[in-house]
Amino acid sequence: MRVLLVGAGGVGTAVTRIAARREFLTHMIVADYDLSRAEASVAALGERGARFGARRVDASDCDAVRRILLEERCDVLLNATDPRYVMPLFTAALEAGAHYLDMAMSLSAPHVARPYEECGVKLGDEQFALARRWEDAGRLALVGMGVEPGLSDVFARYAADELFDDIEEIGVRDGANLTVEGYGFAPSFSIWTTIEECLNPPVVYERDRGWFTTAPFSEPEVFDFPEGIGPVECVNVEHEEVLLIPRWVDARRVTFKYGLGDDFIAKLKTLHELGLDATTRVTVPGDDGPVRVSPRDVVAACLPDPAGLGERMTGKTCAGTWVKGTKDGSPREVYLYHVVDNQWSMREYGSQAVLWQTAVNPVVALELLSTGDWSGKGVLGPEALPPRPFLDLLTAYGSPWGMREEN
Amino acid sequence: MRVLLVGAGGVGTAVTRIAARREFLTHMIVADYDLSRAEASVAALGERGARFGARRVDASDCDAVRRILLEERCDVLLNATDPRYVMPLFTAALEAGAHYLDMAMSLSAPHVARPYEECGVKLGDEQFALARRWEDAGRLALVGMGVEPGLSDVFARYAADELFDDIEEIGVRDGANLTVEGYGFAPSFSIWTTIEECLNPPVVYERDRGWFTTAPFSEPEVFDFPEGIGPVECVNVEHEEVLLIPRWVDARRVTFKYGLGDDFIAKLKTLHELGLDATTRVTVPGDDGPVRVSPRDVVAACLPDPAGLGERMTGKTCAGTWVKGTKDGSPREVYLYHVVDNQWSMREYGSQAVLWQTAVNPVVALELLSTGDWSGKGVLGPEALPPRPFLDLLTAYGSPWGMREEN
């Protein structure tokens, strides 16, 4: 399998480190806007880097990406950029006749009149609008194939297939006890994406009502995370699982709640009140006169690079799917989860836990596609495909998942 | 008197509107980096604008400012820019043989090893270092001549001259009950300057100890402001009065506390924790590739222009000086203050209250210099000059001050 990996940031670099240890990969081109970053990620692989190459690419330039896919004869494009670049990369893969994987879906736009009650453009809408063209081309766009969305969707399908007869609610719950020494505030994941998902109106699915939105940070609940992480306050956040799961899994309600914590929520609210979450450019003095910049890019530039925090970070991160329903006539409640200890991921891969956990899942998916255990065409979410092969291969990668019976 | 006013922002524009009504002014050149802004401030004066002209100038370009002072045969430079430009403008005036007034002094730099205990470079240190040259030239640099510093310093001198035999403490206290309709967060004064003064280590003066610093937002107290504003929580903030008053007025302790309120303090702390208060440039994407911008400039660009908020603003702002000591052997405590109602300043001058209150004081000072009621040479604070003529002329401008006996 020949793969074009676009994005050599924290997740992309972790992808190379995981993929380098697997046999299924014939060649991987690592492409980034900053060529030196792509080259550094390949150089860091040492002897294992023989199957890798680096190129410069602007992810917003659909034509340039298509040309690289064709020149390098890639079977698949793995998108490890931030969600702004989903549509050009998704389109480039379609035009080049390649398969496509991403870990976040095309962006939403709030409902103009009732943003906190009704959906406007939903996450992934732009991608699903092109589903027919992918089907006709006989190619697969596997969307939302990171950890959340991704593994969390696989868990949902696994619960529906093997653990429940009837599902009342599926709630993805994400929490961590990570701390970074020496920083008052150091998000463990791309702040650009975190702002996007936390400040957009959260989306909820109910079978009787369809998709709808709420005010940001709604329905707070304390969720008890496993493996020593413990209770964390979680709130509704806009996330792909809520859009993906109901398309393939039957449940009366689907939610996503993120364990942000009070301090993080307060900071995000302040960024919003000050207009610093905006992506619309403002004019400010530059070195040679006025320049136009996006405030959110400036926020990101002021914070430490999440990929560089691994050495100072301690703790574990947990992604998982809580499911409530009935089995054999009895009520049942389970939490299916995947925990990564930062100490382990740093020792084994030199990658920070949150980034490593995001990166491992698309590599598992690529391997399943290369072996034929997974196959399909059109625009599919991870829950459209059989969950067992995925969960078994993830365990074989040395990173097992777990299940907790809630009663 | 011929005046070069540098800066046609909120304060500068209010200066033109106040000065246009006074006879003492022969000519005022309004100079700004943005010529259209300078021209607009002159055009807004209508028939009263005959004595005014507009020019473009870069306030950081000392030579260019000096040339304008000479070409326009100005007697005095009035600096209405933000404190970054104090030193080039102060130097240009000295070299051109003009007098100089500003409303904020040259910037401080924290003590490298003990920033929250000892002073590093203090506010105004760079200006006072050149005092001898001003004396030798027979010219006056009247520094800190806005409302705070400025009128607050005049109050301190008035208290020492007429109200007390012995002063234990002088505490400048600033508070307001201004609200801006339609904005969750809309500072009524330059956010650049507000960040500078609030996030630098606050400075305190004690006779036995000299100047020293504390942690930001230290020594919170609730101060009851007059004329219906009521109690506001105030905290220590770095401000020029603490550096100026002890040079000419004998007091055991001098402080400055700002009625910021909890919400504003929390926002400033968040800006600091996220590094968004920084003035060191960061690299972000621009329209044509990477550009370097100052995060603090971006924060300012995201917020509404304080000068444009007057129409939506209601409430009053109070600047004043609380003095505690003894008179004729008895304890005495007074608060000398100046309140501006936004409704009044908008109706009378079309200027927002906080900006108008800052602007009126240097115009009063210019008039006293033109009449000879005030005169001097060297680098002086407002408390170095007789307070009575100033307070009487301020009242004659239609904006009387007040005094409250605290016991």
Side-chain angles (χ1 to χ4, degrees):
Chain A
M1 177 179 268
R2 295 177 67 86
V3 178
L4 173 63
L5 168 67
V6 184
V11 173
T13 298
V15 162
T16 64
R17 292 174 187 177
I18 299 162
R21 302 193 189 184
R22 306 300 298 183
E23 298 292 328
F24 77 91
L25 195 78
T26 315
H27 198 68
M28 180 176 271
I29 303 295
V30 185
D32 197 278
Y33 186 77
D34 179 351
L35 177 61
S36 66
R37 203 161 75 146
E39 289 172 335
S41 74
V42 173
L45 300 174
E47 290 178 5
R48 285 177 163 150
R51 291 173 290 163
F52 291 74
R55 290 191 64 157
R56 190 194 171 280
V57 75
D58 176 351
S60 69
D61 185 343
C62 188
D63 284 344
V65 176
R66 184 176 50 77
R67 279 196 302 275
I68 295 180
L69 282 166
L70 295 171
E71 283 167 23
E72 301 282 353
R73 295 172 290 111
C74 290
D75 306 298
V76 54
L77 186 161
L78 172 55
N79 172 6
T81 66
D82 76 51
R84 274 176 288 189
Y85 305 107
V86 161
M87 287 314 293
L89 294 172
F90 177 82
T91 307
L94 178 62
E95 291 179 356
H99 300 299
Y100 168 87
L101 271 77
D102 63 30
M103 293 165 259
M105 285 153 54
S106 61
L107 292 172
S108 65
H111 190 277
V112 174
R114 293 156 52 89
Y116 303 127
E117 291 156 317
E118 295 181 32
C119 292
V121 176
K122 300 188 298 301
L123 288 171
D125 274 0
E126 287 184 82
Q127 291 178 288
F128 282 113
L130 295 172
R132 183 66 182 272
R133 286 189 57 198
W134 284 87
E135 285 161 27
D136 292 347
R139 290 292 178 276
L140 172 64
L142 178 54
V143 296
M145 191 57 256
V147 60
E148 281 174 344
L151 178 55
S152 50
D153 300 76
V154 172
F155 283 143
R157 175 63 183 265
Y158 174 73
D161 284 3
E162 304 198 18
L163 306 177
F164 289 86
D165 297 324
D166 180 69
I167 294 178
E168 185 183 325
E169 182 165 354
I170 297 177
V172 182
R173 297 291 182 266
D174 179 297
N177 64 355
L178 297 167
T179 56
V180 182
E181 192 191 325
Y183 286 95
F185 184 68
S188 55
F189 202 74
S190 156
I191 191 72
W192 199 101
T193 307
T194 305
I195 288 175
E196 184 70 20
E197 62 193 20
C198 292
L199 292 179
N200 277 344
V203 60
V204 171
Y205 173 83
E206 289 179 6
R207 194 193 285 153
D208 302 336
R209 199 173 160 188
W211 287 293
F212 60 94
T213 57
T214 75
F217 312 115
S218 61
E219 297 181 19
E221 71 171 56
V222 174
F223 191 85
D224 189 21
F225 289 91
E227 301 201 12
I229 295 173
V232 180
E233 178 152 315
C234 296
V235 290
N236 277 326
V237 157
E238 180 190 56
H239 230 254
E240 286 86 345
E241 292 92 325
V242 179
L243 287 314
L244 287 173
I245 291 171
R247 294 175 196 260
W248 288 281
V249 175
D250 193 26
R252 276 198 284 284
R253 191 167 206 265
V254 181
T255 57
F256 180 96
K257 291 189 184 179
Y258 200 176
L260 293 169
D262 287 351
D263 181 60
F264 200 99
I265 291 172
K267 285 190 168 62
L268 289 170
K269 285 182 175 174
T270 296
L271 288 174
H272 181 60
E273 284 180 285
L274 272 59
L276 291 163
D277 60 321
T279 54
T280 308
R281 293 188 172 184
V282 296
T283 302
V284 292
D287 287 329
D288 307 305
V291 294
R292 294 172 65 245
V293 299
S294 143
R296 197 190 292 181
D297 285 338
V298 175
V299 173
C302 288
L303 292 170
D305 178 2
L309 297 176
E311 295 288 353
R312 293 161 168 255
M313 193 183 275
T314 51
K316 297 173 178 175
T317 185
C318 178
T321 304
W322 162 80
V323 187
K324 183 180 178 182
T326 56
K327 177 70 175 173
D328 302 327
S330 301
R332 189 178 195 184
E333 220 176 300
V334 302
Y335 182 59
L336 300 156
Y337 63 87
H338 184 248
V339 169
V340 178
D341 184 331
N342 185 69
Q343 208 175 357
W344 176 85
S345 66
M346 285 302 294
R347 189 182 65 232
E348 292 292 318
Y349 287 88
S351 291
Q352 188 253 74
V354 179
L355 302 173
W356 188 89
Q357 191 183 36
T358 305
V360 67
N361 291 285
V363 181
V364 169
L366 286 173
E367 184 157 349
L368 291 174
L369 292 170
S370 79
T371 59
D373 288 306
W374 270 14
S375 65
K377 60 181 184 177
V379 179
L380 302 182
E383 54 281 272
L385 296 161
R388 262 288 172 196
F390 189 98
L391 295 174
D392 290 347
L393 187 54
L394 180 63
T395 300
Y397 271 52
S399 188
W401 55 285
M403 182 171 108
R404 182 177 72 189
E405 290 278 355
E406 299 294 90
N407 297 315
Chain B
M1 177 181 268
R2 296 177 66 87
V3 178
L4 173 63
L5 168 67
V6 184
V11 173
T13 298
V15 163
T16 63
R17 292 175 187 177
I18 299 162
R21 303 195 188 182
R22 307 300 299 183
E23 298 290 327
F24 76 91
L25 195 77
T26 316
H27 198 68
M28 179 176 272
I29 303 296
V30 185
D32 197 279
Y33 186 77
D34 178 351
L35 177 61
S36 67
R37 201 160 76 148
E39 288 172 336
S41 74
V42 173
L45 300 174
E47 289 179 6
R48 284 175 164 153
R51 290 172 291 162
F52 291 75
R55 290 191 65 158
R56 191 193 170 281
V57 75
D58 177 350
S60 68
D61 185 343
C62 187
D63 283 346
V65 176
R66 184 177 50 78
R67 278 195 303 274
I68 295 181
L69 282 165
L70 295 171
E71 283 167 25
E72 301 282 353
R73 294 170 292 113
C74 291
D75 306 298
V76 55
L77 187 161
L78 172 54
N79 172 7
T81 66
D82 76 49
R84 277 175 287 190
Y85 305 107
V86 162
M87 287 314 292
L89 294 173
F90 177 82
T91 308
L94 178 60
E95 291 179 357
H99 299 299
Y100 169 88
L101 271 77
D102 62 31
M103 293 164 260
M105 284 152 56
S106 60
L107 293 171
S108 65
H111 191 275
V112 175
R114 292 157 52 89
Y116 302 126
E117 291 155 317
E118 295 182 32
C119 293
V121 177
K122 300 189 298 301
L123 287 171
D125 274 1
E126 287 184 82
Q127 291 178 288
F128 282 112
L130 295 173
R132 183 64 183 272
R133 285 189 57 200
W134 284 86
E135 286 161 29
D136 292 347
R139 290 292 179 275
L140 172 63
L142 179 53
V143 297
M145 190 59 254
V147 59
E148 282 175 342
L151 178 55
S152 50
D153 301 76
V154 172
F155 283 143
R157 176 63 184 264
Y158 175 72
D161 283 3
E162 303 198 17
L163 306 177
F164 290 85
D165 297 325
D166 180 71
I167 294 179
E168 184 182 326
E169 182 164 354
I170 297 176
V172 181
R173 297 292 182 268
D174 179 297
N177 64 355
L178 297 166
T179 56
V180 183
E181 192 190 325
Y183 286 96
F185 184 67
S188 55
F189 201 73
S190 156
I191 191 72
W192 199 101
T193 306
T194 305
I195 288 174
E196 184 70 20
E197 61 193 19
C198 292
L199 292 178
N200 277 344
V203 60
V204 171
Y205 172 83
E206 290 180 4
R207 193 192 286 153
D208 302 336
R209 200 174 158 188
W211 286 294
F212 61 93
T213 57
T214 75
F217 312 116
S218 60
E219 298 181 17
E221 69 171 56
V222 174
F223 191 84
D224 189 21
F225 288 91
E227 300 200 15
I229 296 173
V232 180
E233 178 151 313
C234 297
V235 291
N236 277 325
V237 158
E238 179 190 58
H239 230 254
E240 286 87 345
E241 292 92 325
V242 178
L243 287 315
L244 286 173
I245 291 171
R247 293 175 197 261
W248 288 281
V249 176
D250 193 26
R252 276 199 284 285
R253 191 166 205 266
V254 181
T255 58
F256 181 96
K257 292 189 183 178
Y258 200 176
L260 293 169
D262 287 352
D263 182 61
F264 199 98
I265 291 173
K267 286 191 167 63
L268 289 170
K269 284 181 175 173
T270 296
L271 288 174
H272 181 60
E273 285 180 285
L274 272 59
L276 291 163
D277 59 322
T279 54
T280 308
R281 293 188 172 184
V282 297
T283 302
V284 292
D287 286 327
D288 306 305
V291 294
R292 294 171 65 245
V293 299
S294 143
R296 196 189 292 180
D297 285 339
V298 175
V299 172
C302 288
L303 292 171
D305 178 0
L309 297 175
E311 294 289 352
R312 292 161 169 253
M313 193 182 275
T314 50
K316 296 173 179 176
T317 186
C318 178
T321 305
W322 162 81
V323 186
K324 183 180 178 184
T326 57
K327 177 71 176 174
D328 301 327
S330 301
R332 187 177 196 184
E333 220 175 302
V334 302
Y335 183 58
L336 299 157
Y337 63 87
H338 184 248
V339 169
V340 178
D341 185 331
N342 185 69
Q343 207 175 356
W344 176 86
S345 65
M346 284 302 294
R347 189 182 64 231
E348 292 292 318
Y349 287 89
S351 292
Q352 185 253 75
V354 179
L355 303 174
W356 189 89
Q357 192 182 37
T358 306
V360 67
N361 291 285
V363 181
V364 170
L366 287 172
E367 183 157 350
L368 292 174
L369 292 171
S370 79
T371 59
D373 287 307
W374 271 14
S375 65
K377 60 183 183 175
V379 179
L380 302 183
E383 55 281 271
L385 297 162
R388 261 286 172 198
F390 189 97
L391 295 174
D392 290 346
L393 187 54
L394 180 64
T395 300
Y397 272 51
S399 189
W401 56 285
M403 180 171 109
R404 183 177 72 189
E405 290 278 354
E406 298 293 88
N407 297 314

